[in-house]
Amino acid sequence: MRTKGILLAMALMVFIMVPLTAQLTVGGFIDFNIAGISVNPGGDNEDYSSFFGVGVGGIVTYTLMNGFALQAEPMILQKGGKVSEFDETLTLKILYFEIPVFLRYNFAASESYLPYLILGPNLGFRTSAKVVFPDGSSSDASDDFSVIDLGLGLGGGVEVPLGSLFVFGETRYVFGLNDINMESGESTVKNRGLQILFGVKVPIGD
């Protein structure tokens, strides 16, 4: 309940700050995700590690006031992690359609670059899940994991104007907030990941 209250307060603050007219920028990006899982309690003799996932998506930035902006980044992204027990390592790969919505703060900078911070919720919808075995074979695991994944993202980036375009790089860490494990009585499993984005945007409007 406390988490939901924080997210609701952030949403209300954004609506209060929205001006009647604002500049909009839209674009696309590629996302490199160092994906992992948090398991509590962890299994005996089990080790958990990350794997390298990739995603693609679009970005919309809507200017607010006093250096603030609202930024949405819908994407397709691979999450999951590795589980090692004795001499065997299994890789859990879960594909999500995600809708991160961030409150963004732009720092004052020169005309050659614009640094910023982002903070906000991340809502994901599972589209597939599988377990990959050491020999390369895989097994469907969709029924073992929740359809919904809710997270909180924190990070920052830099935009650089290039003619009529904006090139940007962004880094953020996303903490999973809900248990995605559907097996009752088992350990809680939450997604987590360090994401690095590179993309380009174009301005729309005044």
mmCIF file of all heavy atoms in Angstrom, residues 185-202:
data_model
loop_
_atom_site.group_PDB
_atom_site.id
_atom_site.type_symbol
_atom_site.label_atom_id
_atom_site.label_comp_id
_atom_site.label_asym_id
_atom_site.label_seq_id
_atom_site.Cartn_x
_atom_site.Cartn_y
_atom_site.Cartn_z
ATOM 1 N N GLY A 185 3.902 -20.824 -1.993
ATOM 2 C CA GLY A 185 4.749 -21.432 -0.991
ATOM 3 C C GLY A 185 6.218 -21.439 -1.333
ATOM 4 O O GLY A 185 7.032 -21.913 -0.536
ATOM 5 N N GLU A 186 6.579 -20.914 -2.501
ATOM 6 C CA GLU A 186 7.977 -20.891 -2.917
ATOM 7 C C GLU A 186 8.591 -19.527 -2.614
ATOM 8 O O GLU A 186 7.941 -18.623 -2.101
ATOM 9 C CB GLU A 186 8.079 -21.199 -4.412
ATOM 10 C CG GLU A 186 7.562 -22.574 -4.808
ATOM 11 C CD GLU A 186 8.428 -23.698 -4.273
ATOM 12 O OE1 GLU A 186 9.650 -23.465 -4.102
ATOM 13 O OE2 GLU A 186 7.895 -24.790 -4.018
ATOM 14 N N SER A 187 9.859 -19.367 -2.945
ATOM 15 C CA SER A 187 10.569 -18.110 -2.715
ATOM 16 C C SER A 187 9.968 -16.988 -3.559
ATOM 17 O O SER A 187 9.402 -17.226 -4.623
ATOM 18 C CB SER A 187 12.049 -18.275 -3.082
ATOM 19 O OG SER A 187 12.661 -19.279 -2.309
ATOM 20 N N THR A 188 10.088 -15.762 -3.068
ATOM 21 C CA THR A 188 9.689 -14.616 -3.868
ATOM 22 C C THR A 188 10.773 -14.321 -4.900
ATOM 23 O O THR A 188 11.974 -14.427 -4.612
ATOM 24 C CB THR A 188 9.472 -13.369 -2.995
ATOM 25 O OG1 THR A 188 10.689 -13.034 -2.328
ATOM 26 C CG2 THR A 188 8.391 -13.622 -1.963
ATOM 27 N N VAL A 189 10.348 -13.964 -6.104
ATOM 28 C CA VAL A 189 11.276 -13.665 -7.197
ATOM 29 C C VAL A 189 10.920 -12.291 -7.759
ATOM 30 O O VAL A 189 9.774 -12.043 -8.123
ATOM 31 C CB VAL A 189 11.193 -14.726 -8.315
ATOM 32 C CG1 VAL A 189 12.139 -14.358 -9.461
ATOM 33 C CG2 VAL A 189 11.519 -16.109 -7.773
ATOM 34 N N LYS A 190 11.910 -11.401 -7.810
ATOM 35 C CA LYS A 190 11.696 -10.058 -8.340
ATOM 36 C C LYS A 190 12.750 -9.742 -9.392
ATOM 37 O O LYS A 190 13.920 -10.089 -9.226
ATOM 38 C CB LYS A 190 11.750 -9.018 -7.215
ATOM 39 C CG LYS A 190 10.658 -9.192 -6.167
ATOM 40 C CD LYS A 190 10.764 -8.130 -5.082
ATOM 41 C CE LYS A 190 9.687 -8.309 -4.031
ATOM 42 N NZ LYS A 190 9.759 -7.273 -2.977
ATOM 43 N N ASN A 191 12.309 -9.091 -10.461
ATOM 44 C CA ASN A 191 13.242 -8.669 -11.503
ATOM 45 C C ASN A 191 14.070 -7.482 -11.039
ATOM 46 O O ASN A 191 13.639 -6.684 -10.202
ATOM 47 C CB ASN A 191 12.481 -8.263 -12.775
ATOM 48 C CG ASN A 191 12.039 -9.460 -13.591
ATOM 49 O OD1 ASN A 191 12.828 -10.345 -13.880
ATOM 50 N ND2 ASN A 191 10.765 -9.482 -13.968
ATOM 51 N N ARG A 192 15.245 -7.372 -11.620
ATOM 52 C CA ARG A 192 16.072 -6.195 -11.421
ATOM 53 C C ARG A 192 16.983 -6.079 -12.629
ATOM 54 O O ARG A 192 17.204 -7.071 -13.345
ATOM 55 C CB ARG A 192 16.900 -6.292 -10.140
ATOM 56 C CG ARG A 192 17.889 -7.457 -10.134
ATOM 57 C CD ARG A 192 18.601 -7.566 -8.818
ATOM 58 N NE ARG A 192 19.575 -8.652 -8.817
ATOM 59 C CZ ARG A 192 20.286 -9.032 -7.767
ATOM 60 N NH1 ARG A 192 20.115 -8.390 -6.612
ATOM 61 N NH2 ARG A 192 21.157 -10.004 -7.841
ATOM 62 N N GLY A 193 17.512 -4.896 -12.883
ATOM 63 C CA GLY A 193 18.395 -4.784 -14.037
ATOM 64 C C GLY A 193 19.000 -3.416 -14.208
ATOM 65 O O GLY A 193 18.387 -2.397 -13.867
ATOM 66 N N LEU A 194 20.210 -3.402 -14.725
ATOM 67 C CA LEU A 194 20.888 -2.175 -15.106
ATOM 68 C C LEU A 194 20.721 -2.010 -16.607
ATOM 69 O O LEU A 194 21.171 -2.850 -17.385
ATOM 70 C CB LEU A 194 22.371 -2.245 -14.742
ATOM 71 C CG LEU A 194 23.229 -1.053 -15.174
ATOM 72 C CD1 LEU A 194 22.784 0.212 -14.445
ATOM 73 C CD2 LEU A 194 24.704 -1.335 -14.928
ATOM 74 N N GLN A 195 20.052 -0.923 -17.019
ATOM 75 C CA GLN A 195 19.728 -0.705 -18.424
ATOM 76 C C GLN A 195 20.512 0.476 -18.986
ATOM 77 O O GLN A 195 20.604 1.529 -18.348
ATOM 78 C CB GLN A 195 18.228 -0.463 -18.589
ATOM 79 C CG GLN A 195 17.377 -1.621 -18.102
ATOM 80 C CD GLN A 195 15.893 -1.340 -18.211
ATOM 81 O OE1 GLN A 195 15.453 -0.478 -18.977
ATOM 82 N NE2 GLN A 195 15.094 -2.066 -17.451
ATOM 83 N N ILE A 196 21.066 0.286 -20.190
ATOM 84 C CA ILE A 196 21.814 1.327 -20.887
ATOM 85 C C ILE A 196 21.162 1.534 -22.243
ATOM 86 O O ILE A 196 21.071 0.597 -23.046
ATOM 87 C CB ILE A 196 23.289 0.937 -21.045
ATOM 88 C CG1 ILE A 196 23.915 0.664 -19.666
ATOM 89 C CG2 ILE A 196 24.061 2.043 -21.767
ATOM 90 C CD1 ILE A 196 25.308 0.107 -19.742
ATOM 91 N N LEU A 197 20.691 2.762 -22.502
ATOM 92 C CA LEU A 197 19.946 3.079 -23.717
ATOM 93 C C LEU A 197 20.720 4.057 -24.591
ATOM 94 O O LEU A 197 21.381 4.962 -24.087
ATOM 95 C CB LEU A 197 18.589 3.703 -23.378
ATOM 96 C CG LEU A 197 17.483 2.851 -22.771
ATOM 97 C CD1 LEU A 197 17.785 2.436 -21.344
ATOM 98 C CD2 LEU A 197 16.151 3.600 -22.817
ATOM 99 N N PHE A 198 20.587 3.867 -25.904
ATOM 100 C CA PHE A 198 21.107 4.820 -26.875
ATOM 101 C C PHE A 198 20.017 5.047 -27.914
ATOM 102 O O PHE A 198 19.412 4.093 -28.414
ATOM 103 C CB PHE A 198 22.369 4.286 -27.566
ATOM 104 C CG PHE A 198 23.519 4.064 -26.632
ATOM 105 C CD1 PHE A 198 23.796 2.792 -26.152
ATOM 106 C CD2 PHE A 198 24.318 5.123 -26.221
ATOM 107 C CE1 PHE A 198 24.855 2.581 -25.270
ATOM 108 C CE2 PHE A 198 25.382 4.925 -25.361
ATOM 109 C CZ PHE A 198 25.655 3.650 -24.881
ATOM 110 N N GLY A 199 19.762 6.337 -28.239
ATOM 111 C CA GLY A 199 18.698 6.604 -29.186
ATOM 112 C C GLY A 199 18.761 7.986 -29.779
ATOM 113 O O GLY A 199 19.698 8.755 -29.563
ATOM 114 N N VAL A 200 17.720 8.318 -30.543
ATOM 115 C CA VAL A 200 17.627 9.600 -31.221
ATOM 116 C C VAL A 200 16.192 10.097 -31.142
ATOM 117 O O VAL A 200 15.246 9.303 -31.158
ATOM 118 C CB VAL A 200 18.099 9.482 -32.683
ATOM 119 C CG1 VAL A 200 17.213 8.518 -33.453
ATOM 120 C CG2 VAL A 200 18.147 10.834 -33.369
ATOM 121 N N LYS A 201 16.023 11.441 -31.046
ATOM 122 C CA LYS A 201 14.696 12.033 -30.946
ATOM 123 C C LYS A 201 14.598 13.229 -31.890
ATOM 124 O O LYS A 201 15.609 13.817 -32.288
ATOM 125 C CB LYS A 201 14.413 12.521 -29.522
ATOM 126 C CG LYS A 201 14.485 11.452 -28.466
ATOM 127 C CD LYS A 201 13.880 11.916 -27.154
ATOM 128 C CE LYS A 201 14.582 13.128 -26.601
ATOM 129 N NZ LYS A 201 13.998 13.551 -25.296
ATOM 130 N N VAL A 202 13.359 13.570 -32.229
ATOM 131 C CA VAL A 202 13.102 14.775 -33.038
ATOM 132 C C VAL A 202 12.054 15.603 -32.297
ATOM 133 O O VAL A 202 11.140 15.068 -31.670
ATOM 134 C CB VAL A 202 12.593 14.419 -34.441
ATOM 135 C CG1 VAL A 202 13.678 13.694 -35.232
ATOM 136 C CG2 VAL A 202 11.324 13.582 -34.379
#
